[in-house]
Amino acid sequence: MGLGIGLVGLPNVGKSTTFNALTKAQNAESANYPFCTIEPNKAVVPVPDTRLDALAKIVNPERIQHSTLDFIDIAGLVKGASKGEGLGNKFLDNIRETEVILHIVRCFEDDNITHTEGSINPLRDIDIIETELLLADMGALEKRISNIARKAKGNDRDAKAQLVVAEALLTHIEDGNPVATYVDSDDDAFIQINKEMRFLTSKEIIYGANVDEDGLAEDNEFVKLLKEYAVSHNREVIKLCAKTEEEMVEFDEDEKMEMLESLGVSESGLDQIIHKGFYKLGLMSYFTAGVKEVRAWTIRQNTTAPKAAAVIHNDFEKGFIRAEVIAYNEFIEHNGELGAKEAGKMRLEGKEYIVQDGDVMHFRFNV
């Protein structure tokens, strides 16, 4: 769907280990994606969903196919990235192409792993990264203002309106504020500029607090500081041990659960990140359930039935007649499609129907 989550972080914070774990999760499911061509810095990761397993127990399909999520490894962010340090311009451009930022923050001490800043300080690390994002946005907007100003001098009405907003936004950024907190975000001129510029600081940020195994069950002082900061900035923190996550990718489900229980947690940090990223991107899944395949299809929230059908094939939207819909809970409760139909739980929905997360669907169409 062209949507992605960009991993950022300073060197030696666990970003590469986290991405390696995601890449292994991708490879573990590679048989499900025979036609995917994956770039070296991208992992197309299956979204864990226990509902698929429940559907498969009833339908007994030949295969199960999960929804997927793109993670893009953004390397080389250091002080001065906005000015090109550490190939910073290239990597900042990579972030611009993503929709959500996962910022891996080191929250553990280990004398064997040197921190580039000489000590462990999550808030300082955040400030380094987010200052570079601000500076990059500032530089890009200054160039844009120069171009808009030339058009405005030629009495271009749209350019004049954009110039007023762009200059106000530049002041907002210069004061150290991200684009995401700009007050007049519903202004048409702002919406247009933001859409074209894809500002780095307008993106959702999730903090991945990378801890050691001892820090999983109980928050250490670094995690507490990070969580306080996140709350004050209306952001979320997901705690993980990147090293353990990478090891667990090789485990089967029982081994994984046994490991998590021994560490005092119920869900892996990697799974939490995938679920949270899926939600932050405004995505959801509906299901098709047949003997050949039980599959989750990825759509945006508030998608109509014909648009949802188009994810399977464009002809399904063009020739859409109606959709047969069974809510997931009803499908499970009545042991499948036949039982749900007999109980009167299958609905026929038209073109205006908004698909709900977990709907089990079959489309009627004519081309």
Side-chain angles (χ1 to χ4, degrees):
M1 295 188 68
L3 297 170
I5 297 176
L7 273 73
V8 304
L10 293 174
N12 293 345
V13 298
K15 180 178 67 65
S16 295
T17 306
T18 302
F19 186 74
N20 287 342
L22 288 163
T23 303
K24 287 182 179 179
Q26 162 196 294
N27 292 339
E29 296 284 338
S30 60
N32 281 343
Y33 315 111
F35 305 111
C36 267
T37 301
I38 312 302
E39 297 176 7
N41 65 334
K42 180 185 289 186
V44 180
V45 182
V47 178
D49 195 332
T50 56
R51 295 176 299 180
L52 285 167
D53 296 325
L55 291 171
K57 284 182 180 179
I58 294 172
V59 179
N60 193 27
E62 294 177 12
R63 60 181 178 269
I64 298 174
Q65 184 105 332
H66 289 251
S67 288
T68 61
L69 199 56
D70 291 357
F71 284 86
I72 297 89
D73 189 23
I74 312 294
L77 277 185
V78 294
K79 280 184 179 178
S82 58
K83 298 178 181 178
E85 294 293 331
L87 298 178
N89 289 330
K90 178 181 184 301
F91 298 133
L92 289 168
D93 285 343
N94 289 340
I95 300 173
R96 209 175 297 282
E97 296 307 311
T98 65
E99 297 297 324
V100 172
I101 294 172
L102 172 61
H103 184 173
I104 302 298
V105 184
R106 181 168 166 178
C107 292
F108 68 91
E109 293 185 293
D110 187 335
D111 293 338
N112 295 316
I113 304 176
T114 304
H115 194 293
T116 55
E117 297 299 313
S119 62
I120 309 303
N121 186 331
L123 303 192
R124 177 205 56 215
D125 293 358
I126 287 172
D127 183 64
I128 290 172
I129 294 291
E130 295 187 5
T131 295
E132 293 304 324
L133 301 184
L134 274 172
L135 290 172
D137 279 349
M138 192 185 305
L141 185 56
E142 286 171 344
K143 291 179 182 177
R144 180 59 183 270
I145 286 174
S146 296
N147 293 333
I148 296 173
R150 283 196 293 271
K151 292 182 180 179
K153 286 179 180 178
N155 288 322
D156 185 314
R157 186 177 300 176
D158 290 340
K160 287 182 177 180
Q162 284 194 8
L163 184 60
V164 172
V165 172
E167 289 177 338
L169 181 58
L170 181 60
T171 299
H172 178 80
I173 296 172
E174 288 174 338
D175 289 339
N177 302 304
V179 172
T181 62
Y182 184 68
V183 175
D184 295 325
S185 59
D186 57 348
D187 183 277
D188 289 342
F190 170 81
I191 292 171
Q192 184 63 29
I193 293 171
N194 191 31
K195 182 179 179 181
E196 293 175 4
M197 299 289 291
R198 298 176 69 86
F199 290 111
L200 303 175
T201 61
S202 68
K203 301 180 186 299
E204 288 262 16
I205 294 179
I206 303 169
Y207 296 121
N210 186 21
V211 300
D212 54 21
E213 288 188 355
D214 293 337
L216 282 173
E218 186 174 346
D219 291 349
N220 60 34
E221 292 304 313
F222 301 127
V223 173
K224 290 176 182 176
L225 277 173
L226 178 57
K227 285 186 173 180
E228 287 176 8
Y229 177 87
V231 168
S232 67
H233 288 73
N234 196 30
R235 292 172 182 163
E236 296 185 58
V237 176
I238 295 174
K239 192 165 56 172
L240 75 155
C241 176
K243 183 180 178 182
T244 300
E245 294 290 345
E246 190 177 20
E247 293 171 356
M248 287 196 300
V249 173
E250 308 292 346
F251 294 179
D252 63 31
E253 199 59 31
D254 289 340
E255 291 172 327
K256 183 177 175 181
M257 290 309 300
E258 185 177 339
M259 169 68 89
L260 291 173
E261 287 175 10
S262 72
L263 296 172
V265 292
S266 58
E267 184 180 17
S268 83
L270 214 60
D271 286 355
Q272 292 179 60
I273 285 169
I274 295 168
H275 287 138
K276 182 59 65 178
F278 200 67
Y279 173 77
K280 290 288 187 182
L281 287 169
L283 303 177
M284 54 176 265
S285 300
Y286 74 87
F287 304 122
T288 52
V291 292
K292 287 193 174 294
E293 179 182 74
V294 164
R295 178 164 182 165
W297 298 90
T298 305
I299 57 173
R300 286 188 178 274
Q301 295 164 16
N302 299 314
T303 295
T304 61
K307 290 293 183 184
V311 176
I312 300 176
H313 197 288
N314 286 335
D315 286 347
F316 283 27
E317 179 183 10
K318 293 175 184 176
F320 180 90
I321 300 172
R322 54 185 174 269
E324 298 175 359
V325 183
I326 304 171
Y328 167 77
N329 289 338
E330 301 286 2
F331 192 97
I332 299 301
E333 181 182 343
H334 297 286
N335 201 38
E337 182 178 331
L338 182 59
K341 282 182 178 179
E342 290 176 348
K345 299 300 181 181
M346 190 194 79
R347 295 172 279 116
L348 293 178
E349 301 287 0
K351 293 182 178 181
E352 303 303 316
Y353 177 67
I354 302 298
V355 179
Q356 302 300 301
D357 184 46
D359 277 349
V360 182
M361 306 189 73
H362 176 74
F363 297 103
R364 297 183 184 181
F365 67 101
N366 183 30
V367 289

